[in-house]
Amino acid sequence: MNNMKRIVILLSTVLVMASCSALKNVQLDSEALGSAAAKTLTAVSISDADIVALSAESVAYMDSTNKVLTSGAYAERLARLTKDIQVDGLQLNFKVYETEEINAFACGDGSIRVYSGLMDVMDDDQLIAIIGHEIGHVVHKDTKAAMKRAYMSSAARDAVGSVGGLVQTLSSSVLGDIAENFVSAQYSQKQEFNADAYGFSFAVNNNHDKYSMYRALNKLTDMNGGSTMSKVQKWFSSHPDSGERASRVKAMADSLE
Ligand SMILES: [Zn+2]
């Protein structure tokens, strides 16, 4: 079963890579045509409202295809850690997925999902820092762009003209592709550094150790390459350069009073 899961992850990574060429093709077409109309066509194919709806639908899809733990040690620990957390402009909701994958993600609708595999290897401080990092991607609108890319790389992008009722027109397999692409979204190094800085402040502001983000990144770096590699590969493929990033957040912590 785990092998199946990994195969699915590999496939979704391939889809993300394929999406790059698909996006390039869209841009080349627009350039070749050189017309505002072509650009408008690309732009209207997914609106901000569609992105919000897609985010909520993607989370609903992920919730329905993962085992959500609503009671027990994992759920209680996450609830205890997050009960006082607030972020301006976001209606946060937290859930645990039971899976050995080491991952977590946040969506533009304020949904935060934490995998039990991540909770197994991180202490409370490290876990809060990683959650903060993921929320940072939402606050910085990285997830909005990622959701748009996930949509544009799916079969749904051919459904131009369904603006407004976009989500209702998507089949569950297309929605699944979008959700998988979103969860394994690639962010730029700059986006990662900024999300780390957010995670660093997030941990400190929520009364956790100032080295929380540093220790979380160090932990992931240590695990990468060892026997646990396959379990962290997903987080690493979407969050590269953890060694370099760890030293940056350590400097932030060192200089904090
Ligand atoms: Zn990240």
Side-chain angles (χ1 to χ4, degrees):
M1 191 185 119
N2 290 329
N3 283 338
M4 269 302 286
K5 181 120 196 172
R6 276 173 205 148
I7 289 165
V8 170
I9 289 158
L10 282 173
L11 282 174
S12 70
T13 306
V14 170
L15 280 172
V16 169
M17 292 167 92
S19 79
C20 296
S21 60
L23 277 173
K24 268 181 199 152
N25 286 341
V26 170
Q27 284 163 357
L28 281 176
D29 287 348
S30 298
E31 282 165 21
L33 289 168
S35 72
K39 282 176 188 156
T40 305
L41 184 64
T42 307
V44 298
S45 65
I46 180 165
S47 67
D48 281 4
D50 283 333
I51 291 174
V52 170
L54 273 177
S55 299
E57 285 298 316
S58 293
V59 170
Y61 176 88
M62 292 298 287
D63 285 355
S64 70
T65 53
N66 283 277
K67 186 178 179 189
V68 178
L69 297 176
T70 54
S71 61
Y74 289 105
E76 284 164 23
R77 181 181 169 207
L78 188 64
R80 170 176 59 78
L81 279 174
T82 58
K83 65 180 163 57
D84 295 324
I85 288 178
Q86 292 186 335
V87 177
D88 283 350
L90 286 180
Q91 289 271 1
L92 298 180
N93 71 89
F94 294 88
K95 284 180 186 171
V96 184
Y97 291 164
E98 184 178 51
T99 160
E100 67 175 16
E101 294 295 335
I102 294 171
N103 206 1
F105 67 89
C107 246
D109 67 339
S111 298
I112 318 291
R113 299 296 179 261
V114 182
Y115 294 24
S116 60
L118 180 72
M119 297 181 75
D120 285 337
V121 297
M122 297 290 169
D123 65 26
D124 288 356
D125 291 337
Q126 293 167 317
L127 200 54
I128 284 296
I130 295 218
I131 289 170
H133 173 100
E134 296 302 333
I135 291 175
H137 280 309
V138 173
V139 171
H140 301 151
K141 311 271 190 227
D142 302 339
T143 52
K144 185 178 166 182
M147 183 58 77
K148 190 164 184 168
R149 285 198 302 275
Y151 166 80
M152 291 300 286
S153 69
S154 76
R157 62 175 278 251
D158 296 328
V160 178
S162 56
V163 181
L166 176 76
V167 171
Q168 289 86 336
T169 67
L170 300 180
S171 68
S172 64
S173 67
V174 169
L175 194 56
D177 278 353
I178 293 173
E180 290 283 354
N181 285 353
F182 173 76
V183 171
S184 50
Q186 294 270 344
Y187 294 118
S188 71
Q189 192 180 51
K190 187 180 171 197
Q191 285 175 320
E192 294 300 353
F193 287 144
N194 290 339
D196 289 340
Y198 189 95
F200 161 74
S201 301
F202 183 85
V204 170
N205 294 339
N206 285 289
N207 304 313
H208 289 268
D209 179 66
K210 65 179 182 177
Y211 291 102
S212 300
M213 190 78 249
Y214 168 65
R215 291 197 304 105
L217 290 169
N218 252 358
K219 179 87 185 184
L220 289 162
T221 306
D222 288 348
M223 293 175 71
N224 196 28
S227 59
T228 49
M229 173 124 179
S230 62
K231 286 199 269 180
V232 290
Q233 223 159 17
K234 190 171 188 179
W235 204 85
F236 257 88
S237 66
S238 56
H239 301 77
D241 309 315
S242 289
E244 158 79 13
R245 290 162 51 196
S247 44
R248 288 205 182 199
V249 289
K250 181 176 184 296
M252 287 180 202
D254 288 343
S255 63
L256 191 74
E257 284 297 303

